[in-house]
C-alpha cells in the first residue's frame, strides 16, 4: 500500500491558522481479532499535534481529552499524550512529574502495540515514544536508561523502514538518529558498531528533507529538527538563516518557534535580533509557563553591559523556575552582574551559592562550578573583568564594544598562562566575527601555543575556529588537521560541544 495515496495530509496552508483542521481526517483502520485498532488523525487530534508544537499544552490536552472517550482504540492518542508530556518535562524540569509520567511509558507502548504487525504505524509510534523518553531521561540525568531508549528506537525504525519502505514518516526520526550517531566522536565509534548503530550525517539530513518535501503533516517537525541540527551541530546555510527569521512572522502564535529563533540567533551572535523575537513571543493561559525566557532576557542584557537590568531578569527566572538546570549558571551570572559593575560585596553572595544549589548536568552549570571554585580560591583576578566583559559582548554580537575593551589591554596585561590564552582567543574571535579571519589567525595560533601548557578549552576552541577558517579558504588538509587537533584536547569544560562540532565537520569532509 502506498500510504501517500490513502492518508489525507493537510496542505501547507496549516501555517496560516487552523483552517485545514476543518477538513475531514482520513482514517487508517486495521483490524485485530476482537477490537478494531486505529490510527485516526481526527481534526481535533491534528490540531492538538500542532498546538503541542506551539507550546499551547493546556489547550492541546483539552482537545486530546475531548477525543479520548470516542476514540478509545485510537493509537494516535497515547502518542499525543506522550508528545505533550515530553514538551512539558523538557521545559518545566519538574522532577515529581517526571517520576509520575515515566510510569506511563510502558502502558502507552502496550496500547500502540495492539496495532497489528501490518500497520506501518506500530513500530513508528513506539519508536517515537521511546525517543521522547530518551530525551526526557537524558535531560533528567538518566544517561544509561536514555541511551537504551535511543537504541531501542533505532532498531524499531530500521525494522519499520525494511518492512514498509514507502512509509516516509519513518525517515523523520531515523534521519535524526542517523545524524546524531554520525556525530559520535571517533573514539566512541566502536560502541555504536558493537550495538549495531549506523549513522551518517548527510544521509540523515537527506532523510529529513524527504519528509519535509513529501510529508506535509510532519513537515514542520522535520524542518525544526533539520534547523536544530544545523544550528547546534553543523552550520546554518543562508537559506536556513532566512527561514529562521521568517518562521515566527508566519506563526505569531507559536511560542516554540519564537524561542527557537531567539536561542539560535543568540548562538549566532545576533542578540539584538534575538531580543525582537523574544519580545514578540506569545504568552497567556493557553501556553505552558516558560520562565527560561526571563533567563534569555538576562543573557542579552548581560551581553550589552546592562548589569542591573540583567540581574532583575536572572532573579525573576530563579523565582519562577522549579527546575534544576541553569541554577548554578544563573547564580554565576548574578555574581557577574555585580562583580563586573564593581559591586564586589554583593557579588560574593551569589558566588557562594553556586556549590550548594542546582545540578551540574549541563556544561553551563559545570562551568559555573569551576569558575566559582577558582574565584573563591583566588585564581581569578580583577584583571579578568575585562575578559569577561569582552566575552559577553562578543557572544551577543556587540563587536565594537568588545573590540574597544580588548584594545585597552595586551597579553602582558595578564599574569597567568590561561589568561594570556584567553586574551588571544578573544582577540581572534572578535576579528573573525568582524569579517577579518586572516587577522584572527595569529591570535588563534598563539592561543594554541599557550594551551600546550594549560588552558585546554581555549586551545580546542581556537583549533575549531581555525578549522572553519581553513574550510572557507578551501584548504581541506588544513581543516582536517585543525578539527582533529580540536578533538585531541582532554578534559575541558567545552569538550562535548567542541568534539561534536569537529566530528560533524570531519564527517562532512569524508573523514
Amino acid at each position: 500500500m502506498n500510504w501517500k495515496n490513502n492518508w489525507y495530509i493537510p496542505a501547507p496552508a496549516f501555517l496560516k491558522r487552523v483552517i485545514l483542521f476543518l477538513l475531514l481526517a482520513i482514517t487508517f483502520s486495521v483490524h485485530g481479532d476482537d477490537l478494531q485498532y486505529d490510527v485516526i488523525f481526527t481534526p481535533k487530534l491534528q490540531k492538538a499535534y500542532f498546538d503541542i508544537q506551539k507550546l499551547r499544552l493546556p489547550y492541546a490536552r483539552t482537545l486530546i481529552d475531548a477525543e479520548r472517550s470516542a476514540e478509545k482504540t485510537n493509537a494516535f492518542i497515547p502518542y499525543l499524550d506522550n508528545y505533550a508530556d515530553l514538551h512539558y518535562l523538557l521545559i518545566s524540569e519538574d522532577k515529581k512529574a517526571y517520576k509520575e509520567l515515566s510510569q506511563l511509558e510502558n502502558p502507552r507502548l502496550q496500547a500502540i502495540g495492539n496495532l497489528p504487525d501490518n500497520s506501518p504505524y506500530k513500530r513508528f509510534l513506539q519508536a517515537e515514544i521511546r525517543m521522547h523518553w530518551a530525551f526526557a531521561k537524558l535531560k533528567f540525568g538518566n544517561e544509561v536508561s536514555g541511551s537504551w531508549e535511543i537504541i531501542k528506537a533505532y532498531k524499531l525504525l530500521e525494522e519499520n523502514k525494511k518492512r514498509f519502505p514507502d512509509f516516509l514518516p519513518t525517515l523523520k526520526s531515523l534521519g535524526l538518529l542517523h545524524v546524531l550517531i554520525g556525530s559520535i566522536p571517533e573514539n566512541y565509534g566502536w560502541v555504536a558498531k558493537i550495538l549495531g548503530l549506523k549513522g551518517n550525517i548527510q544521509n540523515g539530513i537527506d532523510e529529513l528533507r524527504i519528509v519535509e518535501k513529501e510529508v506535509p503533516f510532519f513537515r514542520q517537525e522535520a524542518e525544526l529538527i533539520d534547523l536544530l541540527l544545523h544550528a547546534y551541530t553543523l552550520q546554518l546555510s543562508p537559506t536556513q538563516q532566512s527561514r529562521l527569521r521568517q518562521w515566527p512572522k508566519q506563526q505569531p502564535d507559536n511560542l516554540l518557534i519564537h524561542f527557537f529563533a531567539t536561542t539560535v540567533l543568540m548562538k549566532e551572535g545576533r542578540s539584538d535580533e534575538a531580543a525582537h523575537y523574544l519580545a514578540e513571543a506569545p504568552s497567556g493561559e493557553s501556553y505552558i509557563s516558560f520562565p527560561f525566557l526571563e533567563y534569555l532576557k538576562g543573557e542579552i542584557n548581560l551581553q550589552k553591559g546592562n548589569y542591573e537590568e540583567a540581574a532583575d531578569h536572572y532573579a525573576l527566572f530563579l523565582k519562577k523556575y522549579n527546575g534544576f538546570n541553569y541554577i548554578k549558571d544563573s547564580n554565576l551570572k548574578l555574581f557577574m552582574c555585580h562583580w563586573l559593575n564593581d559591586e564586589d560585596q554583593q557579588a560574593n553572595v551569589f558566588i557562594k551559592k553556586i556549590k550548594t544549589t542546582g545540578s551540574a548536568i549541563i556544561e553551563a552549570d559545570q562551568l559555573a562550578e569551576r569558575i566559582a571554585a577558582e574565584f573563591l580560591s583566588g585564581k581569578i583576578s580583577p584583571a579578568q573583568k575585562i575578559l569577561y566583559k569582552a566575552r559577553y559582548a562578543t557572544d551577543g554580537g556587540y563587536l565594537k564594544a568588545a573590540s574597544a575593551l580588548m584594545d585597552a589591554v595586551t597579553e602582558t596585561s595578564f599574569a597567568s598562562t590561561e589568561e594570556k590564552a584567553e586574551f588571544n582567543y578573544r582577540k581572534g574571535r572578535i576579528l573573525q566575527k568582524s569579517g577579518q579571519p586572516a587577522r584572527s589567525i595569529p591570535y588563534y595560533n598563539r592561543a594554541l601555543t599557550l594551551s600546550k601548557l594549560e588552558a585546554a578549552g581555549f586551545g580546542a576552541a581556537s583549533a575549531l575556529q581555525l578549522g572553519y577558517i581553513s574550510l572557507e579558504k578551501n584548504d581541506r588538509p588544513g581543516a582536517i588537521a585543525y578539527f582533529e587537533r580540536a578533538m585531541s584536547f582532554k578534559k575541558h569544560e567545552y569538550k562535548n560541544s567542541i568534539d561534536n562540532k569537529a566530528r560533524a565537520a570531519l564527517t562532512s569532509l569524508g573523514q
Side-chain angles (χ1 to χ4, degrees), residues 223-237 240-245 247-248 256-275 277-278 292 296 300 303 395-396 433:
E223 186 178 5
L224 185 61
I225 293 169
D226 187 354
L227 284 170
L228 278 168
L229 289 170
H230 278 83
Y232 288 95
T233 302
L234 307 171
Q235 286 186 308
L236 288 169
S237 68
Q240 288 175 316
Q241 292 178 15
S242 176
R243 175 61 171 145
L244 183 70
R245 291 167 172 81
W247 218 349
L256 181 62
I257 286 176
H258 279 77
F259 168 69
F260 178 47
T262 298
T263 54
V264 173
L265 286 167
M266 288 178 68
K267 178 185 172 295
E268 295 287 309
R270 299 179 180 276
S271 285
D272 267 353
E273 266 192 277
Y277 292 107
L278 187 55
F292 193 71
L296 295 177
I300 293 172
Q303 293 167 352
D395 288 346
K433 284 193 166 189

Side-chain angles (χ1 to χ4, degrees), residues 484-495:
E484 289 177 343
R485 190 168 180 185
M487 295 172 62
S488 72
F489 287 89
K490 310 295 183 185
K491 294 182 180 180
H492 59 87
E493 62 271 22
Y494 300 115
K495 184 161 182 62

Side-chain angles (χ1 to χ4, degrees), residues 204-214 226 230 240:
I205 295 298
D206 291 344
E207 288 168 334
L208 283 166
R209 290 182 178 170
I210 289 172
V211 178
E212 291 174 43
K213 183 179 179 180
E214 302 289 343
D226 187 354
H230 278 83
Q240 288 175 316

Side-chain angles (χ1 to χ4, degrees), residues 16 111 252 319 372:
K16 295 184 179 181
K319 181 179 179 180

Side-chain angles (χ1 to χ4, degrees), residues 339 370-384 388 415-419 454:
W339 189 58
R370 183 178 72 81
I371 291 174
E374 291 180 356
F375 181 85
L376 293 171
S377 65
K379 292 182 180 179
I380 295 179
S381 69
Q384 289 193 34
Y388 278 107
S416 72
T417 301
E418 185 163 3
E419 289 172 345
E454 51 185 288

